[in-house]
Amino acid sequence: MQAAPPASSQSDDYGLRRGILSPMETLAQSVSTMAPTTTPAATIPLVCALAGNGTWLAYVLATVAIFLVGLCIARYARHSASPGSLYTYASMTLPAWLSATVAWSLLLAYVATGSSVIGGFYHYANLLLHDATGHIFSAVLLSLVVTGVSIWIAYRDVKISARLMLWIEAVSVSVIVIVVALVLFRHGWHLDGEELHLHGMTGSGLRLGLVLARFSFVGFESATTLGAEAHSPLKTIPRAVIQSAVLAGAFFTICAYAEVLGFHIVGQDLGTTSDQMHVLARVGGVPVLGILIDIGALVSMFAGTLACITAAARVLLRMAHDGLAHDSLGTTHARNQTPSRAVVITGIAAVLPVAVLAYRGASGLDVYGWLGSLATYGFIIAYALVCVALPRYLRQQGAFRAGTQIVPWLAAAAMALALVGNLYPVPEGPYGKLPFIYLGYLIAGLGWFALRARTRKAISPQSVEVSKP
């Protein structure tokens, strides 16, 4: 099949509210999808269990890889703005079946990330509720509540969604920054020799830690789903993509260094302690901030749920316009100008696996890890294909220069290494089943694509015949 023709540099609104979001609100979409507060609380300890004193290095390398991908995405975003995000970019240059692969992968990635943070939400909600009341509540009920509220907000107004996400993340990240600053200040601003010299770190530990570290960044590009709604999208969105990669990378790296340092001070193991941020707050001399970080993680999980539903709905809207999903999902609410049906469908898709797993007794952190890892496969494939396609796109735009292909190929290679790291050594337990789940989902999506393409091809000659005089 031939590639789709290049898209216009102008943003089609698809029935959405054009130019309603400010640069900060657009940035909030990417930041909230990453849910940065959850990385110091949940992901960095997992990376430390593998990379040890090389945890900060794992995040430096992950930042470089994501920054390369961000540069590629930003090049597209300077020429095209659409709710389809990376799928739109892929459709400009790749064969139709590969652009469909990007579409289905990206949809899964956003929905599964939403599922992941819903699991994280009920974990932190029950931690706080148990401390306050001595009781825990139904994980299924908590999952349904946070998803229902997120669907309602995303259904009503994208501007309310963006502002709410912006303030939630600003406050929760600020609390962690205060704790980290206090830890570094009380240590006297001296470098930690064990971390600096990577004492005890192994090559395999760093490689596996790097795979997990990349998970902290997934969704950093989701501002591109607001192509119809961002103000001056051809300027605002590329900046948001680069800013989210750089700011998140700096935040995660500093947090990784400070957390390992804090646990060195108290002589504990960051990778095996259950209340990491409480320990860090005590090291910083302000124990009460540990509780505030838990609250921040809770609301950040909520913001992440809202951000993922917002992004997934807009990808699904664009897919419906291109025949990759049912036509009814391509409509928007007449008054709210939001992809209302797509919002409801993606919200249900996000909460359904969480509700089933929670009913079967899975912990919130297990759900967070399982479904977050599943989402990673979708993101890696989408990132890699878009990066590979960039040189051809630049030729179409007359912007190709000698050496232009270096960054895209480096970015694609980084994603390929990430994929290999996810698959080998073969993960144990449920993690070993995730590649097959992703592959089965992708086969089903491409099968639907082939069926729709064949149906349209069969109908097309009849339409032409009817139109003849």
Side-chain angles (χ1 to χ4, degrees):
M1 295 183 181
Q2 295 298 318
S8 167
S9 63
Q10 298 302 313
S11 171
D12 296 322
D13 57 32
Y14 293 88
L16 302 169
R17 298 174 68 187
R18 183 187 289 272
I20 192 66
L21 300 177
S22 69
M24 286 300 294
E25 291 165 343
T26 304
L27 177 62
Q29 170 63 35
S30 281
V31 172
S32 297
T33 305
M34 289 188 290
T37 307
T38 64
T39 286
T43 309
I44 287 177
L46 297 177
V47 176
C48 181
L50 296 167
N53 286 313
T55 301
W56 67 271
L57 179 59
Y59 273 96
V60 169
L61 296 175
T63 300
V64 172
I66 292 299
F67 180 67
L68 291 173
V69 174
L71 289 176
C72 295
I73 294 172
R75 290 297 299 269
Y76 285 103
R78 293 190 187 103
H79 297 281
S80 174
S82 164
S85 184
L86 305 188
Y87 160 54
T88 300
Y89 305 153
S91 67
M92 297 174 186
T93 50
L94 293 176
W97 70 275
L98 277 179
S99 64
T101 298
V102 173
W104 287 108
S105 296
L106 197 62
L107 181 63
L108 172 72
Y110 287 137
V111 169
T113 301
S115 301
S116 173
V117 292
I118 292 170
F121 178 88
Y122 80 69
H123 168 76
Y124 281 101
N126 269 327
L127 279 181
L128 292 167
L129 289 169
H130 183 267
D131 290 342
T133 67
H135 302 284
I136 61 174
F137 290 74
S138 166
V140 175
L141 179 60
L142 291 170
S143 300
L144 294 174
V145 168
V146 69
T147 307
V149 173
S150 298
I151 289 174
W152 180 75
I153 295 173
Y155 187 99
R156 287 292 305 275
D157 191 342
V158 69
K159 193 168 183 66
I160 293 175
S161 301
R163 286 183 175 178
L164 184 62
M165 291 185 291
L166 176 64
W167 283 107
I168 285 174
E169 294 300 343
V171 172
S172 56
V173 167
S174 296
V175 176
I176 292 180
V177 169
I178 291 171
V179 171
V180 167
L182 288 173
V183 170
L184 295 176
F185 178 76
R186 288 172 66 89
H187 186 62
W189 303 102
H190 299 301
L191 291 175
D192 183 3
E194 291 192 18
E195 290 191 78
L196 184 63
H197 296 100
L198 306 175
H199 183 263
M201 186 197 77
T202 64
S204 61
L206 177 63
R207 178 176 62 84
L208 294 174
L210 178 57
V211 171
L212 277 176
R214 286 197 185 100
F215 173 62
S216 297
F217 293 87
V218 294
F220 81 102
E221 82 303 324
S222 66
T224 57
T225 63
L226 303 177
E229 296 154 296
H231 179 69
S232 300
L234 302 184
K235 294 180 179 179
T236 301
I237 291 176
R239 290 174 184 169
V241 170
I242 297 299
Q243 287 169 350
S244 61
V246 172
L247 294 176
F251 175 67
F252 296 152
T253 301
I254 293 172
C255 286
Y257 173 81
E259 285 188 53
V260 175
L261 169 63
F263 275 74
H264 283 169
I265 293 173
V266 297
Q268 296 185 33
D269 185 358
L270 173 61
T272 59
T273 305
S274 59
D275 58 346
Q276 295 90 349
M277 298 312 296
H278 288 260
V279 172
L280 203 66
R282 290 195 292 271
V283 173
V286 191
V288 70
L289 290 183
I291 299 175
L292 293 181
I293 290 174
D294 283 346
I295 296 173
L298 177 70
V299 295
S300 182
M301 294 288 188
F302 162 66
T305 304
L306 176 57
C308 289
I309 292 174
T310 298
R314 280 149 182 79
V315 172
L316 188 56
L317 172 76
R318 178 58 195 267
M319 290 172 65
H321 275 270
D322 289 354
L324 290 179
H326 196 276
D327 294 341
S328 64
L329 298 173
T331 61
T332 53
H333 194 281
R335 182 178 68 255
N336 298 337
Q337 293 181 285
T338 58
S340 50
R341 292 180 180 175
V343 164
V344 173
I345 292 298
T346 53
I348 292 173
V351 76
L352 188 59
V354 182
V356 172
L357 290 170
Y359 180 77
R360 293 172 61 89
S363 72
L365 288 183
D366 279 341
V367 173
Y368 176 80
W370 295 337
L371 292 170
S373 297
L374 178 61
T376 302
Y377 289 104
F379 280 118
I380 287 174
I381 295 300
Y383 292 164
L385 288 175
V386 167
C387 291
V388 167
L390 179 59
R392 183 178 178 184
Y393 173 73
L394 294 176
R395 287 189 179 94
Q396 291 177 347
Q397 299 294 320
F400 187 85
R401 301 290 184 273
T404 304
Q405 72 272 28
I406 294 176
V407 169
W409 284 110
L410 285 175
M415 293 302 101
L417 290 174
L419 182 61
V420 171
N422 274 17
L423 297 174
Y424 181 81
V426 178
E428 298 179 357
Y431 289 95
K433 300 176 182 178
L434 297 179
F436 300 101
I437 294 174
Y438 169 71
L439 187 60
Y441 161 86
L442 189 58
I443 290 172
L446 292 177
W448 172 256
F449 160 74
L451 180 63
R452 294 277 288 185
R454 181 176 298 179
T455 301
R456 289 189 170 198
K457 186 175 181 181
I459 293 174
S460 181
Q462 298 174 9
S463 301
V464 172
E465 188 68 30
V466 169
S467 66
K468 290 182 179 179

PDB file of all heavy atoms in Angstrom, residues 294-306:
ATOM      1  N   ASP A 294       2.663  11.347  49.852  1.00  0.00           N
ATOM      2  CA  ASP A 294       1.658  10.312  49.567  1.00  0.00           C
ATOM      3  C   ASP A 294       0.390  10.932  48.999  1.00  0.00           C
ATOM      4  O   ASP A 294      -0.204  10.408  48.053  1.00  0.00           O
ATOM      5  CB  ASP A 294       1.323   9.529  50.837  1.00  0.00           C
ATOM      6  CG  ASP A 294       2.397   8.516  51.204  1.00  0.00           C
ATOM      7  OD1 ASP A 294       3.252   8.236  50.334  1.00  0.00           O
ATOM      8  OD2 ASP A 294       2.385   8.012  52.336  1.00  0.00           O
ATOM      9  N   ILE A 295      -0.016  12.057  49.598  1.00  0.00           N
ATOM     10  CA  ILE A 295      -1.195  12.758  49.077  1.00  0.00           C
ATOM     11  C   ILE A 295      -0.919  13.265  47.668  1.00  0.00           C
ATOM     12  O   ILE A 295      -1.766  13.169  46.775  1.00  0.00           O
ATOM     13  CB  ILE A 295      -1.587  13.928  50.013  1.00  0.00           C
ATOM     14  CG1 ILE A 295      -2.003  13.390  51.390  1.00  0.00           C
ATOM     15  CG2 ILE A 295      -2.703  14.765  49.405  1.00  0.00           C
ATOM     16  CD1 ILE A 295      -2.235  14.471  52.421  1.00  0.00           C
ATOM     17  N   GLY A 296       0.306  13.797  47.463  1.00  0.00           N
ATOM     18  CA  GLY A 296       0.679  14.271  46.129  1.00  0.00           C
ATOM     19  C   GLY A 296       0.678  13.160  45.113  1.00  0.00           C
ATOM     20  O   GLY A 296       0.238  13.328  43.967  1.00  0.00           O
ATOM     21  N   ALA A 297       1.175  11.972  45.519  1.00  0.00           N
ATOM     22  CA  ALA A 297       1.167  10.826  44.609  1.00  0.00           C
ATOM     23  C   ALA A 297      -0.259  10.428  44.262  1.00  0.00           C
ATOM     24  O   ALA A 297      -0.567  10.089  43.114  1.00  0.00           O
ATOM     25  CB  ALA A 297       1.912   9.651  45.231  1.00  0.00           C
ATOM     26  N   LEU A 298      -1.148  10.485  45.251  1.00  0.00           N
ATOM     27  CA  LEU A 298      -2.554  10.141  45.014  1.00  0.00           C
ATOM     28  C   LEU A 298      -3.183  11.055  43.979  1.00  0.00           C
ATOM     29  O   LEU A 298      -3.785  10.598  42.995  1.00  0.00           O
ATOM     30  CB  LEU A 298      -3.329  10.221  46.330  1.00  0.00           C
ATOM     31  CG  LEU A 298      -4.831   9.965  46.244  1.00  0.00           C
ATOM     32  CD1 LEU A 298      -5.099   8.501  45.942  1.00  0.00           C
ATOM     33  CD2 LEU A 298      -5.522  10.376  47.543  1.00  0.00           C
ATOM     34  N   VAL A 299      -3.038  12.368  44.174  1.00  0.00           N
ATOM     35  CA  VAL A 299      -3.665  13.300  43.242  1.00  0.00           C
ATOM     36  C   VAL A 299      -2.944  13.301  41.899  1.00  0.00           C
ATOM     37  O   VAL A 299      -3.552  13.572  40.855  1.00  0.00           O
ATOM     38  CB  VAL A 299      -3.748  14.731  43.836  1.00  0.00           C
ATOM     39  CG1 VAL A 299      -4.664  14.760  45.041  1.00  0.00           C
ATOM     40  CG2 VAL A 299      -2.372  15.266  44.202  1.00  0.00           C
ATOM     41  N   SER A 300      -1.641  12.983  41.899  1.00  0.00           N
ATOM     42  CA  SER A 300      -0.927  12.872  40.633  1.00  0.00           C
ATOM     43  C   SER A 300      -1.441  11.679  39.836  1.00  0.00           C
ATOM     44  O   SER A 300      -1.546  11.741  38.602  1.00  0.00           O
ATOM     45  CB  SER A 300       0.576  12.728  40.890  1.00  0.00           C
ATOM     46  OG  SER A 300       1.297  12.672  39.684  1.00  0.00           O
ATOM     47  N   MET A 301      -1.775  10.589  40.521  1.00  0.00           N
ATOM     48  CA  MET A 301      -2.370   9.441  39.849  1.00  0.00           C
ATOM     49  C   MET A 301      -3.710   9.820  39.231  1.00  0.00           C
ATOM     50  O   MET A 301      -4.056   9.387  38.122  1.00  0.00           O
ATOM     51  CB  MET A 301      -2.564   8.290  40.835  1.00  0.00           C
ATOM     52  CG  MET A 301      -1.290   7.690  41.377  1.00  0.00           C
ATOM     53  SD  MET A 301      -0.385   6.716  40.160  1.00  0.00           S
ATOM     54  CE  MET A 301       0.894   5.997  41.205  1.00  0.00           C
ATOM     55  N   PHE A 302      -4.484  10.624  39.956  1.00  0.00           N
ATOM     56  CA  PHE A 302      -5.748  11.100  39.398  1.00  0.00           C
ATOM     57  C   PHE A 302      -5.513  11.958  38.161  1.00  0.00           C
ATOM     58  O   PHE A 302      -6.175  11.789  37.127  1.00  0.00           O
ATOM     59  CB  PHE A 302      -6.528  11.899  40.454  1.00  0.00           C
ATOM     60  CG  PHE A 302      -7.593  12.774  39.890  1.00  0.00           C
ATOM     61  CD1 PHE A 302      -8.708  12.222  39.265  1.00  0.00           C
ATOM     62  CD2 PHE A 302      -7.495  14.162  39.959  1.00  0.00           C
ATOM     63  CE1 PHE A 302      -9.707  13.031  38.728  1.00  0.00           C
ATOM     64  CE2 PHE A 302      -8.479  14.965  39.428  1.00  0.00           C
ATOM     65  CZ  PHE A 302      -9.585  14.402  38.802  1.00  0.00           C
ATOM     66  N   ALA A 303      -4.544  12.885  38.252  1.00  0.00           N
ATOM     67  CA  ALA A 303      -4.229  13.729  37.102  1.00  0.00           C
ATOM     68  C   ALA A 303      -3.741  12.890  35.934  1.00  0.00           C
ATOM     69  O   ALA A 303      -4.060  13.162  34.768  1.00  0.00           O
ATOM     70  CB  ALA A 303      -3.171  14.771  37.479  1.00  0.00           C
ATOM     71  N   GLY A 304      -2.965  11.838  36.231  1.00  0.00           N
ATOM     72  CA  GLY A 304      -2.500  10.945  35.171  1.00  0.00           C
ATOM     73  C   GLY A 304      -3.642  10.208  34.503  1.00  0.00           C
ATOM     74  O   GLY A 304      -3.646  10.024  33.282  1.00  0.00           O
ATOM     75  N   THR A 305      -4.623   9.766  35.292  1.00  0.00           N
ATOM     76  CA  THR A 305      -5.801   9.103  34.724  1.00  0.00           C
ATOM     77  C   THR A 305      -6.529  10.039  33.779  1.00  0.00           C
ATOM     78  O   THR A 305      -6.901   9.662  32.654  1.00  0.00           O
ATOM     79  CB  THR A 305      -6.752   8.662  35.853  1.00  0.00           C
ATOM     80  OG1 THR A 305      -6.055   7.819  36.764  1.00  0.00           O
ATOM     81  CG2 THR A 305      -7.952   7.910  35.291  1.00  0.00           C
ATOM     82  N   LEU A 306      -6.732  11.271  34.223  1.00  0.00           N
ATOM     83  CA  LEU A 306      -7.412  12.273  33.404  1.00  0.00           C
ATOM     84  C   LEU A 306      -6.624  12.566  32.132  1.00  0.00           C
ATOM     85  O   LEU A 306      -7.196  12.646  31.031  1.00  0.00           O
ATOM     86  CB  LEU A 306      -7.595  13.552  34.228  1.00  0.00           C
ATOM     87  CG  LEU A 306      -8.210  14.763  33.536  1.00  0.00           C
ATOM     88  CD1 LEU A 306      -9.575  14.435  32.958  1.00  0.00           C
ATOM     89  CD2 LEU A 306      -8.326  15.934  34.527  1.00  0.00           C
TER      90      LEU A 306
END
